[in-house]
Amino acid sequence: MGTTSFLTRVQGLLRIRNQLVRECLAEVLATFVMMTITLSSAAQKIAFFETKGNLITSYLGGALGVMAGIYTAGGISGAHMNPAFSLAMCLIGQFPWWKFPIFVVVQILGSFISAGAVYILYYDAIWHHSNGTLTVSGPQETASIFATYPADFVSVANGFLDQVIGTGVLIIAVMGTMDTRNKPVPKGLEPVVVALLVLSIECSMGANCGCPLNPARDIGPRLFTYLAGWGPEVFR
């Protein structure tokens, strides 16, 4: 009884009552979970010393990461985890515009922290594979663990169009699953359906740019690699 009473008092002291703070923390945590799984699956190519990596492993990791993120915080913040989704929610009037910049910042923060966690997790493998030099291109590059880079044959215009179409398909399909007037998704299985959607888009549209479909998924880890030693080349 004494232990239970003590834990109850501690829970009361630690409870966050401000709704916005709760939502922001939930969004950071959801994005962190999604990105840690996503980036770790990309890092498998380093752990197994493959130069190209296993695309199926990376795609599955990305889809399952989205599912885990939604299950983590979907009931608190909505688990947007993506500025593009937050923007779409604002445009249809289901999310207040004043929260939009706040959510974008916390989503990028969650991705940035996740990149740091994955860097620590695969620190030895990264440095072994890179021979002590952190590069963005070449056979020993390791930057693609964290951010997505276009294929050599893709122009800036084609890469831009690739992301507009891919992200558009993602948002339209997610909105369709959320529409109660449409064919309903069984309650509790929404994250699974979204994960399958993400996997289908990655498998069909991932060749050009790696299919990030999410500004926070790319900007946060790219900022981390810039600060962690890969340098300004990560932005080129």
Side-chain angles (χ1 to χ4, degrees), residues 170-207:
L170 173 67
I171 298 301
I172 290 170
V174 170
M175 291 296 183
T177 65
M178 294 170 54
D179 189 349
T180 56
R181 297 166 298 179
N182 201 355
K183 285 185 175 293
V185 175
K187 189 173 179 57
L189 290 181
E190 296 90 342
V192 178
V193 173
V194 174
L196 291 174
L197 167 64
V198 170
L199 180 60
S200 68
I201 295 175
E202 288 178 329
C203 289
S204 59
M205 303 184 190

Side-chain angles (χ1 to χ4, degrees), residues 191-234:
V192 178
V193 173
V194 174
L196 291 174
L197 167 64
V198 170
L199 180 60
S200 68
I201 295 175
E202 288 178 329
C203 289
S204 59
M205 303 184 190
N208 283 338
C209 301
C211 219
L213 309 176
N214 182 343
R217 179 259 177 274
D218 197 79
I219 294 173
R222 198 180 295 271
L223 286 172
F224 173 82
T225 52
Y226 170 71
L227 296 173
W230 278 265
E233 191 180 353
V234 300

Side-chain angles (χ1 to χ4, degrees), residues 4-221:
T4 303
S5 177
F6 172 74
L7 290 176
T8 301
R9 289 198 299 270
V10 171
Q11 289 174 353
L13 290 172
L14 295 178
R15 182 175 177 81
I16 299 173
R17 292 173 173 80
N18 184 284
Q19 183 61 27
L20 178 60
V21 174
R22 287 164 61 90
E23 290 177 3
C24 288
L25 290 175
E27 195 69 11
V28 168
L29 184 60
T31 308
F32 173 83
V33 169
M34 175 189 73
M35 290 301 301
T36 299
I37 296 173
T38 299
L39 299 183
S40 293
S41 64
Q44 295 298 317
K45 68 178 182 179
I46 299 303
F48 293 111
F49 309 110
E50 301 172 2
T51 57
K52 294 298 181 184
N54 189 323
L55 282 177
I56 297 301
T57 299
S58 297
Y59 290 163
L60 268 176
L64 294 176
V66 170
M67 182 181 70
I70 298 174
Y71 275 125
T72 297
I76 304 170
S77 67
H80 294 190
M81 304 180 294
N82 186 340
F85 181 73
S86 298
L87 176 61
M89 294 293 282
C90 290
L91 290 172
I92 63 173
Q94 294 189 16
F95 191 68
W97 281 100
W98 67 268
K99 282 187 180 180
F100 175 66
I102 299 173
F103 264 48
V104 171
V105 170
V106 297
Q107 288 159 3
I108 293 175
L109 176 62
S111 290
F112 183 91
I113 297 171
S114 171
V118 172
Y119 177 72
I120 293 171
L121 178 64
Y122 283 97
Y123 180 85
D124 289 341
I126 288 171
W127 284 97
H128 178 87
H129 179 80
S130 65
N131 290 326
T133 303
L134 301 177
T135 59
V136 177
S137 59
Q140 306 304 118
E141 67 84 15
T142 47
S144 62
I145 293 174
F146 302 94
T148 54
Y149 292 87
D152 292 338
F153 55 81
V154 177
S155 66
V156 173
N158 194 181
F160 176 79
L161 185 63
D162 174 89
Q163 287 307 290
V164 169
I165 294 174
T167 306
V169 170
L170 173 67
I171 298 301
I172 290 170
V174 170
M175 291 296 183
T177 65
M178 294 170 54
D179 189 349
T180 56
R181 297 166 298 179
N182 201 355
K183 285 185 175 293
V185 175
K187 189 173 179 57
L189 290 181
E190 296 90 342
V192 178
V193 173
V194 174
L196 291 174
L197 167 64
V198 170
L199 180 60
S200 68
I201 295 175
E202 288 178 329
C203 289
S204 59
M205 303 184 190
N208 283 338
C209 301
C211 219
L213 309 176
N214 182 343
R217 179 259 177 274
D218 197 79
I219 294 173

